[in-house]
Amino acid sequence: AQTVTQSQPEMSVQEAETVTLSCTYDTSESDYYLFWYKQPPSRQMILVIRQEAYKQQNATENRFSVNFQKAAKSFSLKISDSQLGDAAMYFCAQRAAGNKLTFGGGTRVLVKP
Amino acid sequence: DAGVIQSPRHEVTEMGQEVTLRCKPISGHNSLFWYRQTMMRGLELLIYFNNNVPIDDSGMPEDRFSAKMPNASFSTLKIQPSEPRDSAVYFCASSLAGGLYEQYFGPGTRLTVT
């Protein structure tokens, strides 16, 4: 069975600063994919970034980047130059065999002006 | 594209009543997923379909829940009879088949069972 763990229920960051969200996962699969989704108060789930497990290079999307440590089964998200619009719940998710996504419990990000 | 469409957006019903949630996936997508989100249990996959065929329904809580996908452009999730513990936000998502493809989520249906 796959599990995804986000150990930080809430993180606070000053506008323009950087925040890093932690995620660890457990899987017996060798081929899998990892995702970070954002859920603002509107509750719409929005894909932030994705990573293929077979790629060593860390994915980057504008101000969002990941630190993928396959051996440690760790997949952290870094938000640089934080903006007020980044305030939301962030969910780490894993997708292995088949199409199933397993989500972590989420981390709430608060951005202080 | 209009994205994934769900209806209704909000549903309030009394315990024991039948509830039907509806989903229209993005045109061309061949995988469809139903999720439930609660404070206690987070986001849970209930069931998913590939090419209109149910592949994994291990997340369906009990026999009161059923899901159908009669064609590529429509799916329903039915709860009969509903109970207060079914109160949650239910999301439908669709994607192309394959691990890297993004799942596009609908806006969700907030269900309240009194």
Short mmCIF file of all heavy atoms in Angstrom, two decimals, chain A residues 65-98:
data_model
loop_
_atom_site.label_atom_id
_atom_site.label_comp_id
_atom_site.label_asym_id
_atom_site.label_seq_id
_atom_site.Cartn_x
_atom_site.Cartn_y
_atom_site.Cartn_z
N SER A 65 9.72 24.88 -6.89
CA SER A 65 10.70 23.86 -7.23
C SER A 65 10.60 22.75 -6.19
O SER A 65 10.07 22.95 -5.09
CB SER A 65 12.11 24.45 -7.25
OG SER A 65 12.46 24.98 -5.99
N VAL A 66 11.11 21.59 -6.57
CA VAL A 66 11.07 20.46 -5.66
C VAL A 66 12.49 19.99 -5.37
O VAL A 66 13.41 20.22 -6.14
CB VAL A 66 10.23 19.29 -6.21
CG1 VAL A 66 8.78 19.72 -6.41
CG2 VAL A 66 10.83 18.73 -7.49
N ASN A 67 12.62 19.30 -4.23
CA ASN A 67 13.84 18.60 -3.88
C ASN A 67 13.45 17.13 -3.75
O ASN A 67 12.84 16.72 -2.75
CB ASN A 67 14.43 19.13 -2.57
CG ASN A 67 15.74 18.46 -2.23
OD1 ASN A 67 16.26 17.63 -2.99
ND2 ASN A 67 16.30 18.80 -1.08
N PHE A 68 13.77 16.37 -4.77
CA PHE A 68 13.38 14.96 -4.84
C PHE A 68 14.56 14.11 -4.42
O PHE A 68 15.62 14.11 -5.07
CB PHE A 68 12.95 14.62 -6.27
CG PHE A 68 12.64 13.16 -6.50
CD1 PHE A 68 11.87 12.45 -5.61
CD2 PHE A 68 13.12 12.53 -7.63
CE1 PHE A 68 11.59 11.10 -5.83
CE2 PHE A 68 12.84 11.19 -7.88
CZ PHE A 68 12.08 10.47 -6.97
N GLN A 69 14.40 13.39 -3.32
CA GLN A 69 15.43 12.49 -2.81
C GLN A 69 14.85 11.08 -2.84
O GLN A 69 14.16 10.66 -1.91
CB GLN A 69 15.81 12.89 -1.38
CG GLN A 69 16.35 14.30 -1.24
CD GLN A 69 17.71 14.45 -1.88
OE1 GLN A 69 18.52 13.52 -1.88
NE2 GLN A 69 17.96 15.62 -2.45
N LYS A 70 15.14 10.35 -3.92
CA LYS A 70 14.48 9.07 -4.14
C LYS A 70 14.84 8.05 -3.06
O LYS A 70 13.98 7.32 -2.58
CB LYS A 70 14.85 8.52 -5.52
CG LYS A 70 14.02 7.31 -5.93
CD LYS A 70 14.26 6.94 -7.38
CE LYS A 70 13.34 5.79 -7.80
NZ LYS A 70 13.53 5.44 -9.24
N ALA A 71 16.09 7.97 -2.70
CA ALA A 71 16.52 6.98 -1.71
C ALA A 71 15.84 7.23 -0.36
O ALA A 71 15.47 6.29 0.35
CB ALA A 71 18.03 7.00 -1.55
N ALA A 72 15.66 8.48 -0.03
CA ALA A 72 15.02 8.85 1.23
C ALA A 72 13.51 8.91 1.10
O ALA A 72 12.82 9.12 2.10
CB ALA A 72 15.55 10.20 1.70
N LYS A 73 12.99 8.74 -0.11
CA LYS A 73 11.55 8.83 -0.38
C LYS A 73 11.01 10.15 0.15
O LYS A 73 10.01 10.20 0.90
CB LYS A 73 10.81 7.63 0.19
CG LYS A 73 11.23 6.33 -0.48
CD LYS A 73 10.44 5.13 0.03
CE LYS A 73 10.88 3.87 -0.73
NZ LYS A 73 10.21 2.64 -0.25
N SER A 74 11.65 11.21 -0.28
CA SER A 74 11.30 12.55 0.16
C SER A 74 11.06 13.43 -1.06
O SER A 74 11.78 13.34 -2.06
CB SER A 74 12.43 13.13 1.01
OG SER A 74 12.22 14.49 1.27
N PHE A 75 10.07 14.31 -0.96
CA PHE A 75 9.66 15.14 -2.10
C PHE A 75 9.17 16.47 -1.56
O PHE A 75 7.97 16.69 -1.39
CB PHE A 75 8.56 14.40 -2.88
CG PHE A 75 8.10 15.10 -4.13
CD1 PHE A 75 8.96 15.36 -5.18
CD2 PHE A 75 6.76 15.48 -4.29
CE1 PHE A 75 8.54 15.98 -6.34
CE2 PHE A 75 6.32 16.10 -5.45
CZ PHE A 75 7.21 16.35 -6.48
N SER A 76 10.08 17.38 -1.27
CA SER A 76 9.70 18.65 -0.68
C SER A 76 9.45 19.71 -1.74
O SER A 76 10.01 19.65 -2.84
CB SER A 76 10.77 19.13 0.30
OG SER A 76 12.00 19.33 -0.37
N LEU A 77 8.62 20.67 -1.41
CA LEU A 77 8.25 21.77 -2.31
C LEU A 77 8.78 23.07 -1.75
O LEU A 77 8.54 23.38 -0.58
CB LEU A 77 6.72 21.87 -2.46
CG LEU A 77 6.20 23.06 -3.27
CD1 LEU A 77 6.53 22.91 -4.75
CD2 LEU A 77 4.70 23.21 -3.07
N LYS A 78 9.48 23.81 -2.58
CA LYS A 78 9.97 25.13 -2.18
C LYS A 78 9.22 26.20 -2.96
O LYS A 78 9.16 26.14 -4.20
CB LYS A 78 11.47 25.26 -2.43
CG LYS A 78 12.04 26.58 -1.92
CD LYS A 78 13.57 26.60 -1.95
CE LYS A 78 14.12 26.83 -3.32
NZ LYS A 78 15.59 27.04 -3.29
N ILE A 79 8.67 27.15 -2.21
CA ILE A 79 8.00 28.30 -2.83
C ILE A 79 8.89 29.51 -2.58
O ILE A 79 9.11 29.91 -1.43
CB ILE A 79 6.60 28.55 -2.22
CG1 ILE A 79 5.76 27.28 -2.27
CG2 ILE A 79 5.90 29.68 -2.98
CD1 ILE A 79 4.41 27.40 -1.56
N SER A 80 9.42 30.07 -3.65
CA SER A 80 10.30 31.24 -3.55
C SER A 80 9.51 32.51 -3.80
O SER A 80 8.48 32.49 -4.49
CB SER A 80 11.43 31.13 -4.57
OG SER A 80 12.16 29.94 -4.39
N ASP A 81 10.00 33.62 -3.22
CA ASP A 81 9.36 34.92 -3.44
C ASP A 81 7.84 34.80 -3.20
O ASP A 81 7.02 35.13 -4.08
CB ASP A 81 9.65 35.41 -4.85
CG ASP A 81 9.13 36.81 -5.12
OD1 ASP A 81 8.97 37.58 -4.16
OD2 ASP A 81 8.85 37.11 -6.30
N SER A 82 7.47 34.33 -2.03
CA SER A 82 6.07 34.04 -1.73
C SER A 82 5.17 35.24 -1.96
O SER A 82 5.53 36.39 -1.64
CB SER A 82 5.94 33.59 -0.27
OG SER A 82 6.64 32.39 -0.05
N GLN A 83 4.01 34.97 -2.52
CA GLN A 83 3.02 36.00 -2.79
C GLN A 83 1.74 35.70 -2.02
O GLN A 83 1.49 34.56 -1.63
CB GLN A 83 2.74 36.05 -4.30
CG GLN A 83 3.99 36.36 -5.11
CD GLN A 83 3.74 36.30 -6.60
OE1 GLN A 83 2.63 36.02 -7.08
NE2 GLN A 83 4.79 36.58 -7.37
N LEU A 84 0.93 36.74 -1.83
CA LEU A 84 -0.31 36.56 -1.07
C LEU A 84 -1.20 35.49 -1.70
O LEU A 84 -1.90 34.75 -1.02
CB LEU A 84 -1.06 37.89 -0.96
CG LEU A 84 -0.35 38.99 -0.17
CD1 LEU A 84 -1.16 40.27 -0.20
CD2 LEU A 84 -0.09 38.57 1.27
N GLY A 85 -1.14 35.39 -3.02
CA GLY A 85 -1.95 34.40 -3.72
C GLY A 85 -1.48 32.97 -3.53
O GLY A 85 -2.17 32.03 -3.95
N ASP A 86 -0.32 32.80 -2.88
CA ASP A 86 0.15 31.43 -2.61
C ASP A 86 -0.51 30.84 -1.38
O ASP A 86 -0.37 29.65 -1.11
CB ASP A 86 1.67 31.45 -2.40
CG ASP A 86 2.44 31.85 -3.64
OD1 ASP A 86 1.93 31.63 -4.77
OD2 ASP A 86 3.57 32.39 -3.50
N ALA A 87 -1.22 31.65 -0.62
CA ALA A 87 -1.89 31.15 0.58
C ALA A 87 -2.93 30.11 0.18
O ALA A 87 -3.84 30.39 -0.62
CB ALA A 87 -2.55 32.29 1.32
N ALA A 88 -2.81 28.90 0.71
CA ALA A 88 -3.68 27.79 0.33
C ALA A 88 -3.27 26.56 1.10
O ALA A 88 -2.29 26.56 1.85
CB ALA A 88 -3.55 27.51 -1.18
N MET A 89 -4.04 25.47 0.90
CA MET A 89 -3.61 24.14 1.34
C MET A 89 -2.80 23.53 0.20
O MET A 89 -3.16 23.67 -0.97
CB MET A 89 -4.82 23.25 1.63
CG MET A 89 -5.53 23.56 2.92
SD MET A 89 -4.57 23.10 4.36
CE MET A 89 -4.63 21.31 4.27
N TYR A 90 -1.71 22.87 0.56
CA TYR A 90 -0.89 22.19 -0.42
C TYR A 90 -0.86 20.70 -0.12
O TYR A 90 -0.60 20.29 1.01
CB TYR A 90 0.54 22.77 -0.42
CG TYR A 90 0.61 24.14 -1.04
CD1 TYR A 90 0.24 25.27 -0.32
CD2 TYR A 90 1.01 24.30 -2.36
CE1 TYR A 90 0.27 26.53 -0.89
CE2 TYR A 90 1.06 25.56 -2.95
CZ TYR A 90 0.68 26.67 -2.20
OH TYR A 90 0.71 27.91 -2.78
N PHE A 91 -1.13 19.92 -1.15
CA PHE A 91 -1.18 18.47 -1.01
C PHE A 91 -0.10 17.82 -1.87
O PHE A 91 0.02 18.11 -3.06
CB PHE A 91 -2.54 17.93 -1.43
CG PHE A 91 -3.68 18.33 -0.53
CD1 PHE A 91 -4.43 19.46 -0.81
CD2 PHE A 91 -3.98 17.60 0.60
CE1 PHE A 91 -5.48 19.84 0.01
CE2 PHE A 91 -5.02 17.97 1.44
CZ PHE A 91 -5.77 19.10 1.14
N CYS A 92 0.63 16.94 -1.24
CA CYS A 92 1.59 16.09 -1.94
C CYS A 92 0.85 14.82 -2.36
O CYS A 92 -0.02 14.33 -1.61
CB CYS A 92 2.74 15.76 -0.99
SG CYS A 92 4.02 14.69 -1.65
N ALA A 93 1.14 14.30 -3.53
CA ALA A 93 0.43 13.11 -4.01
C ALA A 93 1.38 12.21 -4.79
O ALA A 93 2.32 12.69 -5.43
CB ALA A 93 -0.76 13.51 -4.88
N GLN A 94 1.10 10.93 -4.75
CA GLN A 94 1.90 9.95 -5.46
C GLN A 94 1.00 9.13 -6.37
O GLN A 94 -0.13 8.79 -5.99
CB GLN A 94 2.61 9.02 -4.48
CG GLN A 94 3.47 7.98 -5.16
CD GLN A 94 3.89 6.85 -4.25
OE1 GLN A 94 3.31 6.68 -3.18
NE2 GLN A 94 4.86 6.10 -4.66
N ARG A 95 1.51 8.81 -7.53
CA ARG A 95 0.76 8.00 -8.49
C ARG A 95 1.68 6.89 -8.97
O ARG A 95 2.72 7.15 -9.55
CB ARG A 95 0.33 8.88 -9.66
CG ARG A 95 -0.67 8.27 -10.61
CD ARG A 95 -1.08 9.35 -11.61
NE ARG A 95 -2.19 8.97 -12.46
CZ ARG A 95 -2.71 9.78 -13.39
NH1 ARG A 95 -2.21 10.98 -13.57
NH2 ARG A 95 -3.71 9.36 -14.11
N ALA A 96 1.29 5.64 -8.70
CA ALA A 96 2.12 4.51 -9.11
C ALA A 96 1.36 3.69 -10.15
O ALA A 96 0.79 4.22 -11.08
CB ALA A 96 2.51 3.68 -7.90
N ALA A 97 1.34 2.39 -9.96
CA ALA A 97 0.69 1.53 -10.95
C ALA A 97 -0.77 1.93 -11.11
O ALA A 97 -1.46 2.22 -10.15
CB ALA A 97 0.78 0.08 -10.48
N GLY A 98 -1.22 1.92 -12.34
CA GLY A 98 -2.58 2.36 -12.57
C GLY A 98 -2.66 3.87 -12.48
O GLY A 98 -1.67 4.56 -12.63
#
